[in-house]
Amino acid sequence: MNVAVMKTKAEQAISEGFEAVAEALPGGAGVRTARKAALGRFGALGLPHRRIEEWKYTDLKSALKDVARPAVGDATPVTIADVIVALGPFARLELPRLVLVNGGYRKDLSNLDGVEGYEVKPLAAALAEAPDTVGEGLAEVAGQDQDAVIALNTAFMTDGALVRLKSGVVVQRPLLVVHIRAGKEPCSAAIRNIVHVADKAHARLIELYVSVPGSTAEGQVNVLTEIILDAGAELDHVKCASDTGRSTHLASLVLEMAADAVYRGFQMTEGVGLGRNQGFVTFKGEGGKLDLSGVLLGRGSEHVDTTLVIDHVAGACESRELFKGVLDGEARGVFQGKVIVRPDAQKTDGKQMAQALMLSEAAEFDSKPELEIHADDVVCGHGSTSAELDEDLLFYFRSRGIPKDEARALMIESFVGEAIDHVEDESVREALMSVARGWVAPGRG
């Protein structure tokens, strides 16, 4: 006997929304086929819910009550001045930038001067130029075809950044990829970024997800960043989602690392009503090194989830993960980190740590670190802690004439600073610290 599964209002809206915009989405026949297949997978999977182990703390089926209209062909007016305000402390860096507004490339707001060494194109334009070459593989993202959020991204993606570095190229300046939410009416945007760093090349990339002041508080973003690092390639990658309302931010990172590749990544999320950063990392060659850190800042009823799967397929690789959360009000933070060591991955060195600072008794932090080890010559470990501000240390600051609010801010900044310090570029590090200071004490950033 077949049992019909009732679709939620959001799931119904997703199917109806696709039919309305399918013909306007970029890509040739192959991409259109991939989109329909992805929507079919989503129809079979549905929105993730708490009975799915990887989503047990973030029940998207219950949380996502409705879906905003897909942003296709959006023409919301945004000026250079708006971009500078939205960038906040990152505007001081004066970096080459590719700007998307509500999921669509905006040439008038972008500035790709000084991108020597990079090949940078908007994804939609690349699909128009070479639909078969660029579109190949968009449907199969490193084996993640059973992830509903990734399936939705494949179905609805409108644009993004296509970034390539040729063999041996070493760039000195980071490239800024900026997605801006804008407009008075809520919309949903699906963005796909593709990054390929050839052997022994070294790239620097910053992804920013921000909103224009005065925009609706309830936009929705689904972004997928695919990264392939060839043998000996290096990538310094910073992703920061800094919003001002009740927005939904679903981000997926799929990273494949060849032999001796190095990835240094950092993620920051603040001001997002419902956020999930999920990462899937695969070591495909020996000698790879991963350093992934992050900060999540939540207050009110915000919910921020970080879920990672680090898959050591090849041996003699090193992985490090350090994540810090600061939670106030009734905010909820989640960290799930799973490290898999395959039978042939001898000499693996993997460690992860998640720590939360609780500013309120009503805040909640759920942490689930996991080790799945199938090899015997490994060094692996994990840990997780949560605590309140140290009252003795707070008293020490106040006894030296430092006001209570300033003392609290200094202690919080010191706590998150340990993760931010993993960012090697000093100017980028200072911009991130400024975002954190602005969250701790508005106006200080």
Side-chain angles (χ1 to χ4, degrees):
M1 181 177 67
N2 294 326
V3 178
V5 178
M6 294 294 293
K7 289 187 176 182
T8 66
K9 181 181 177 181
E11 289 169 336
Q12 291 175 341
I14 287 169
S15 298
E16 293 168 1
F18 181 78
E19 294 300 326
V21 300
E23 293 301 317
L25 294 169
V31 176
R32 287 196 294 272
T33 299
R35 291 184 188 278
K36 290 181 180 178
L39 189 70
R41 284 198 301 278
F42 172 77
L45 295 167
L47 287 169
H49 49 80
R50 59 186 176 85
R51 293 184 180 179
I52 299 174
E53 184 65 22
E54 296 81 3
W55 291 82
K56 66 181 294 184
Y57 300 114
T58 304
D59 190 336
L60 203 58
K61 186 182 285 283
S62 296
L64 204 60
K65 302 299 184 185
D66 204 351
V67 175
R69 63 172 179 84
V72 178
D74 185 89
T76 301
V78 175
T79 67
I80 291 289
D82 291 330
V83 174
I84 292 172
V85 173
L87 288 176
F90 286 93
R92 306 168 196 159
L93 303 183
E94 297 184 352
L95 297 173
R97 65 176 182 260
L98 184 148
V99 177
L100 301 101
V101 176
N102 294 337
Y105 172 63
R106 289 285 298 270
K107 183 177 180 180
D108 58 317
L109 304 177
S110 301
N111 179 7
L112 294 177
D113 295 336
V115 292
E116 291 82 1
Y118 293 100
E119 178 191 351
V120 184
K121 290 183 179 179
L123 180 62
L127 284 171
E129 293 173 8
D132 296 332
T133 303
V134 178
E136 185 178 354
L138 288 180
E140 299 177 3
V141 186
Q144 303 301 328
D145 58 343
Q146 291 304 305
D147 186 279
V149 170
I150 288 179
L152 281 179
N153 183 277
T154 300
F156 284 92
M157 59 183 177
T158 53
D159 214 336
L162 176 63
V163 182
R164 297 190 181 110
L165 259 74
K166 293 182 179 179
S167 177
V169 173
V170 177
V171 298
Q172 301 301 322
R173 301 179 71 197
L175 170 67
L176 199 57
V177 176
V178 185
H179 172 72
I180 297 177
R181 285 199 314 103
K184 300 295 185 182
E185 297 297 325
C187 65
S188 60
I191 304 153
R192 176 72 64 92
N193 301 313
I194 301 175
V195 181
H196 183 193
V197 185
D199 57 289
K200 297 183 180 178
H202 186 174
R204 295 176 172 86
L205 176 68
I206 302 173
E207 287 181 68
L208 293 183
Y209 298 85
V210 293
S211 60
V212 171
S215 299
T216 176
E218 298 177 339
Q220 297 166 344
V221 173
N222 180 337
V223 56
L224 168 58
T225 300
E226 297 179 71
I227 300 173
I228 298 176
L229 302 183
D230 289 345
E234 295 188 28
L235 176 63
D236 295 303
H237 180 205
V238 170
K239 174 184 173 291
C240 180
S242 179
D243 214 323
T244 56
R246 300 181 297 278
S247 61
T248 298
H249 181 87
L250 305 176
S252 303
L253 167 69
V254 178
L255 168 63
E256 293 186 357
M257 301 175 63
D260 299 315
V262 177
Y263 177 84
R264 290 177 287 265
F266 179 85
Q267 302 174 353
M268 176 178 280
T269 306
E270 69 92 15
V272 172
L274 172 62
R276 176 167 166 115
N277 291 295
Q278 58 179 12
F280 306 94
V281 181
T282 305
F283 288 98
K284 291 199 163 184
E286 294 188 351
K289 291 186 177 180
L290 170 81
D291 185 337
L292 180 56
S293 55
V295 170
L296 63 91
L297 305 170
R299 58 164 49 102
S301 59
E302 295 170 357
H303 180 115
V304 184
D305 178 338
T306 297
T307 295
L308 306 174
V309 178
I310 314 297
D311 195 349
H312 287 263
V313 175
C317 294
E318 178 182 291
S319 61
R320 297 285 186 272
E321 299 88 53
L322 173 64
F323 280 79
K324 302 268 192 171
V326 183
L327 303 169
D328 202 356
E330 297 181 351
R332 186 179 186 183
V334 177
F335 177 82
Q336 298 182 104
K338 184 174 185 178
V339 177
I340 304 172
V341 183
R342 304 292 179 178
D344 294 332
Q346 305 292 346
K347 306 294 184 184
T348 289
D349 183 353
K351 294 180 176 63
Q352 65 177 217
M353 174 61 74
Q355 297 175 318
L357 189 58
M358 316 298 282
L359 304 182
S360 163
E361 291 184 357
E364 179 179 339
F365 181 62
D366 299 294
S367 182
K368 191 183 74 170
E370 294 181 78
L371 296 176
E372 183 180 313
I373 301 174
H374 303 280
D376 51 15
D377 186 6
V378 303
V379 179
C380 293
H382 59 65
S384 180
T385 63
S386 60
E388 299 175 351
L389 285 173
D390 187 329
E391 291 295 334
D392 291 338
L393 186 56
L394 187 60
F395 176 79
Y396 174 84
F397 277 118
R398 298 188 66 190
S399 68
R400 266 108 184 121
I402 299 175
K404 182 179 180 180
D405 289 345
E406 186 175 345
R408 282 169 52 90
L410 289 171
M411 292 169 67
I412 296 169
E413 290 170 23
S414 176
F415 176 76
V416 301
E418 184 182 354
I420 295 175
D421 283 345
H422 283 235
V423 178
E424 292 194 348
D425 188 303
E426 182 179 357
S427 59
V428 177
R429 192 168 61 240
E430 181 54 37
L432 290 165
M433 202 67 205
S434 186
V435 173
R437 291 190 189 104
W439 183 89
V440 174
R444 294 185 69 225

